[in-house]
Amino acid sequence: REQAWVPAHRDLDVRDAVRSGVADESDVRDMDLRDGDPGARLRGPELLVLLALRPGLDAGAVAALVGRVQERWAALPALGRVESLAVKLVPAPH
């Protein structure tokens, strides 16, 4: 049975996979998914992941965190359906 196409930022399996990849990271305070290419013109990634990080992290801590998260995401089948993904780091509200 064929299923209707759902944009990656609205796909619940993708959302759950992204969330599971950051679940063990205490410095990630929140996450959100956005359409990275709203006009579908190949001008951006299919999926934009916004990660709200704890304020005060240095560059080394951020790089290590992003590396761990990317490794976890790479192993998740639901994210294999996403053709391109970008991460945008944003400060978490105090």
Side-chain angles (χ1 to χ4, degrees):
R1 182 175 154 207
E2 230 177 276
Q3 293 183 350
W5 178 80
V6 176
H9 69 286
R10 292 190 179 153
D11 185 320
L12 296 179
D13 291 335
V14 169
R15 178 173 292 277
D16 289 346
V18 170
R19 191 173 302 283
S20 75
V22 299
D24 292 335
E25 297 292 342
S26 62
D27 290 324
V28 175
R29 300 295 165 87
D30 199 9
M31 58 131 276
D32 194 19
L33 303 183
R34 303 271 171 89
D35 187 347
D37 188 19
R41 299 185 184 270
L42 302 176
R43 293 188 178 158
E46 178 184 3
L47 180 64
L48 179 62
V49 178
L50 300 173
L51 294 181
L53 302 183
R54 176 181 64 81
L57 294 175
D58 65 29
V62 170
L65 183 150
V66 171
R68 289 190 302 272
V69 168
Q70 287 177 326
E71 282 183 21
R72 288 184 205 121
W73 287 343
L76 298 172
L79 292 179
R81 299 194 306 250
V82 177
E83 290 185 21
S84 58
L85 178 152
V87 176
K88 181 175 182 180
L89 305 175
V90 297
H94 293 281

